[in-house]
Amino acid sequence: MDQRPPSQEEIRDAFINAPGFIWPEFAAMPLNCFDLKTALLTFPGDISKSRSDPFSDCADFQVDINDLNTCPRIDSFFEKERWNESSLFVWWYLGRFHWTCSPGAVRQFSVTQGFFTTYINVTRFQNMEEVSDITQPFQLKTALYKSLIGKIEKGFIKPITPDSIFEKSINGRVWVIARSFDPCDNPTYEVASAIDHRTAIDLAIKLDNSWFSDETIPNEVEQKHLASLWDYLSHVTIHPAGSNHLEAGTFYRETPGQAEKVEEDKFEW
């Protein structure tokens, strides 16, 4: 048996030639339920560690998205204002978690290369011209782009254009996605879907260690990573208030369910 670790070329071939990647079963992860007063938002993932950080400024499991007093205003770490009434957007930070992707084994060695780090927020878009109803996807695209201008100006992500933001429908819910790169050329994705006319669930996602340094990730490899993101989004639900028996909090699940897998169209960058 060959005891040598896989070479870079073997790993490269595995990622390019694998028919698809392996990732965790989201239906077996803890289910987080946030009562937003007008809706119940649920999504999987272990966010407990991020919420236990004393400087995380996490929102409560029960918040009223029509009452800004329920949204932490002061940054606990830097002791400065996070937002005010004149801000273009106000965000309730719910938590952070990550998952990995793998093409499987190369010889007898398991290979993992691709870590999605996901920050989950509920975001109110306000004080924006041409944005009055983000249930209209073109308005949500405009709002999302305007909310990213600060990240672009500070160099956190590379510049994008409004026209590059695209739509994707998953289980009947429309998501808008802004793709960019961080300064280390890791792909980033800002993903949002409307809850009401001015509020959305907003995921800020970075894909680390997804390819080799000084090389742009090939489209076919990125698409295999993104299949796990589309799967994750299929497990995010927004229920009208009072229409579901779930209560606010995190619930740990012993028996994994099986999410329906829907063949999605590929998006060419």
Side-chain angles (χ1 to χ4, degrees), residues 24-242:
E25 175 54 71
F26 297 122
M29 291 182 174
L31 182 67
N32 307 289
C33 304
F34 284 83
D35 181 353
L36 308 178
K37 191 73 171 180
T38 60
L40 181 74
L41 168 66
T42 73
F43 59 87
D46 187 353
I47 61 175
S48 58
K49 185 176 181 180
S50 64
R51 290 183 62 82
S52 66
D53 182 343
F55 298 108
S56 66
D57 296 322
C58 284
D60 293 335
F61 280 98
Q62 291 181 299
V63 299
D64 184 348
I65 55 176
N66 291 314
D67 181 2
L68 292 183
N69 291 320
T70 66
C71 184
R73 183 188 291 257
I74 303 299
D75 187 306
S76 297
F77 186 79
F78 293 104
E79 296 184 348
K80 66 178 183 179
E81 192 176 60
R82 295 173 65 223
W83 61 268
N84 57 50
E85 283 74 11
S86 64
S87 299
L88 293 182
F89 58 96
V90 177
W91 70 103
W92 289 262
Y93 171 52
L94 307 185
R96 179 192 74 248
F97 80 105
H98 74 274
W99 73 84
T100 61
C101 289
S102 170
V106 178
R107 291 188 269 109
Q108 74 271 27
F109 293 92
S110 178
V111 176
T112 297
Q113 189 166 329
F115 301 84
F116 280 96
T117 301
T118 306
Y119 293 78
I120 302 177
N121 310 280
V122 168
T123 301
R124 175 193 284 195
F125 299 101
Q126 58 182 23
N127 304 318
M128 294 181 177
E129 294 184 6
E130 302 176 355
V131 176
S132 60
D133 182 4
I134 62 169
T135 63
Q136 304 298 317
F138 73 93
Q139 289 199 30
L140 182 53
K141 290 179 185 179
T142 300
L144 188 63
Y145 176 75
K146 290 185 176 183
S147 73
L148 293 175
I149 290 175
K151 287 185 178 182
I152 295 171
E153 291 176 343
K154 293 175 181 177
F156 296 156
I157 61 174
K158 296 186 176 181
I160 61 172
T161 63
D163 291 343
S164 69
I165 299 176
F166 65 98
E167 299 174 30
K168 189 171 185 67
S169 178
I170 299 175
N171 288 354
R173 171 162 290 277
V174 175
W175 297 85
V176 300
I177 298 112
R179 172 192 182 254
S180 184
F181 291 90
D182 71 8
C184 296
D185 287 328
N186 294 303
T188 67
Y189 313 92
E190 198 84 17
V191 184
S193 185
I195 297 172
D196 62 21
H197 72 285
R198 62 181 176 183
T199 314
I201 176 173
D202 177 13
L203 296 83
I205 303 167
K206 182 167 69 171
L207 177 56
D208 285 313
N209 196 37
S210 59
W211 196 239
F212 302 96
S213 299
D214 303 320
E215 295 183 27
T216 301
I217 183 172
N219 178 66
E220 65 268 31
V221 175
E222 186 175 2
Q223 292 291 341
K224 294 172 191 177
H225 284 297
L226 284 173
S228 72
L229 175 56
W230 310 145
D231 183 23
Y232 180 78
L233 295 180
S234 76
H235 289 76
V236 177
T237 65
I238 300 171
H239 304 279

Side-chain angles (χ1 to χ4, degrees), residues 1-19:
M1 181 180 294
D2 189 347
Q3 298 296 321
R4 294 177 299 107
S7 67
Q8 179 171 307
E9 285 307 312
E10 287 176 309
I11 294 173
R12 184 191 302 271
D13 289 345
F15 273 81
I16 290 176
N17 295 321

